[in-house]
Amino acid sequence: MSGWREALATGRLGAGWMIVAAFCFAAMGVFVKLGKPYFSPAELLFYRTLIGFAFVSALVGARRQRVLSDNWGAHLKRSFTGYAAIVCLFYAITALPLATAVTLNYTSTLFFALICVIWLRERLSGRVACALLIGFAGIVTLLRPTFDSQTWFAALVGLLSGFFAGASIFQVRELGQMGEPEWRTVWWFTGVSTVLSLVWLLFHRFSPITSANVWILAGLGASATAGQLAMTRAYKEGRKFLAASFGYFTVVFSALMGWVLWGDALSVASMVAMGAVVLSGLIAARRA
């Protein structure tokens, strides 16, 4: 116990920073749902990326770092897929129980493994094949009830967020192999996403910001930015697989927050399905 107290006091949490990130990302989902009566998913995404872009730009400016890159095409490709992923996620969160939407987004690890097999022609190992089968069974079980309701489209969009997120992870991996630093990748992503959202809203609408909803936008931006920083620190200081494993606490925190705030009770089948998706993601993350 004293070891944990010392780690908290000194900030040397290693992969434990991912638990902090998981809580922040779950909180981000809460703010997205709270913002639904006031803002469209596009507006929520605009403010989320704008706050993140402003913060990262301030850090880059203070350190006088160079944001232009010879790999600008790869940055744009990653930014577009990342933007598509978060658009789909925000829409799914506004229409589905929080834990369900987050779980569907976390199929990204499965899609990443599948993309590596197809695009890089990596051998489909028994471990990856097992992960894909378990994940597919979990997804089918989780989605099955939605096809009997009005939320089937939102469920498919949530699954699509996982696909785009997996593609985005693949592109981040490629950027890393090109020697691109993480801060530059984040700067491009938040900047391009902010511009895309702004263009979208110019042809859509801006909802009024009032004293009743400004705290939601502040919480959204703060939780998303804090989660990004904690996640980056987790991968920098801790073991990568352990950090990735702790990332699935986002599903747990989301389920608890959804239950406490909105009474989103999960059936036994849903909990088993979510567990299957998490398990498959952990197996896929350790592919060899």
Side-chain angles (χ1 to χ4, degrees):
M1 190 68 177
S2 58
W4 273 104
R5 280 198 292 265
E6 181 182 354
L8 288 171
T10 59
R12 293 194 297 267
L13 296 178
W17 277 108
M18 186 58 82
I19 298 178
V20 178
F23 180 85
C24 291
F25 288 138
M28 182 192 74
V30 168
F31 284 114
V32 170
K33 285 190 83 71
L34 290 174
K36 179 184 177 181
Y38 305 101
F39 306 101
S40 68
E43 289 176 294
L44 292 169
L45 177 55
F46 170 72
Y47 291 116
R48 177 255 185 265
T49 55
L50 177 63
I51 293 172
F53 181 62
F55 183 82
V56 175
S57 295
L59 288 179
V60 169
R63 298 173 180 174
R64 297 185 178 182
Q65 293 169 314
R66 183 174 178 270
V67 295
L68 298 181
S69 170
D70 294 333
N71 300 314
W72 60 270
H75 278 292
L76 285 178
K77 185 167 63 172
R78 181 267 186 253
S79 297
F80 278 114
T81 53
Y83 179 75
I86 203 166
V87 167
C88 293
L89 172 61
F90 275 34
Y91 176 82
I93 288 175
T94 61
L96 296 171
L98 183 59
T100 302
V102 170
T103 303
L104 291 174
N105 179 252
Y106 268 74
T107 58
S108 56
T109 307
L110 293 177
F111 284 116
F112 170 69
L114 195 58
I115 289 170
C116 288
V117 170
I118 296 174
W119 191 259
L120 299 180
R121 299 183 184 277
E122 291 187 357
R123 184 177 61 87
L124 184 62
S125 66
R127 176 180 292 170
V128 174
C130 178
L132 293 175
L133 287 174
I134 294 173
F136 179 74
I139 292 168
V140 170
T141 304
L142 191 63
L143 293 183
R144 186 168 52 83
T146 65
F147 286 101
D148 298 326
S149 66
Q150 301 300 313
T151 59
W152 64 269
F153 179 75
L156 291 182
V157 172
L159 188 60
L160 199 59
S161 78
F163 169 76
F164 282 123
S168 182
I169 294 170
F170 179 82
Q171 288 158 357
V172 167
R173 176 177 177 270
E174 287 190 320
L175 284 167
Q177 292 175 341
M178 294 175 187
E180 292 292 314
E182 294 175 354
W183 60 264
R184 185 181 291 157
T185 300
V186 174
W187 184 89
W188 275 82
F189 166 64
T190 55
V192 170
S193 296
T194 300
V195 171
L196 289 174
S197 296
L198 179 60
V199 172
W200 185 1
L201 291 175
L202 288 177
F203 293 94
H204 186 48
R205 64 181 174 88
F206 272 99
S207 302
I209 300 176
T210 67
S211 58
N213 58 37
V214 66
W215 65 275
I216 295 175
L217 299 180
L220 174 62
S223 58
T225 303
Q228 192 74 43
L229 292 172
M231 181 180 68
T232 302
R233 190 163 181 179
Y235 280 114
K236 181 180 179 180
E237 296 183 359
R239 287 178 292 170
K240 290 184 178 180
F241 173 67
L242 189 59
S245 301
F246 285 164
Y248 281 97
F249 270 90
T250 306
V251 176
V252 177
F253 288 138
S254 297
L256 291 174
M257 291 178 185
W259 174 63
V260 171
L261 295 174
W262 293 284
D264 292 340
L266 296 172
S267 66
V268 174
S270 294
M271 288 190 286
V272 170
M274 289 167 60
V277 172
V278 169
L279 175 62
S280 64
L282 294 175
I283 295 173
R286 297 189 66 175
R287 73 187 195 284

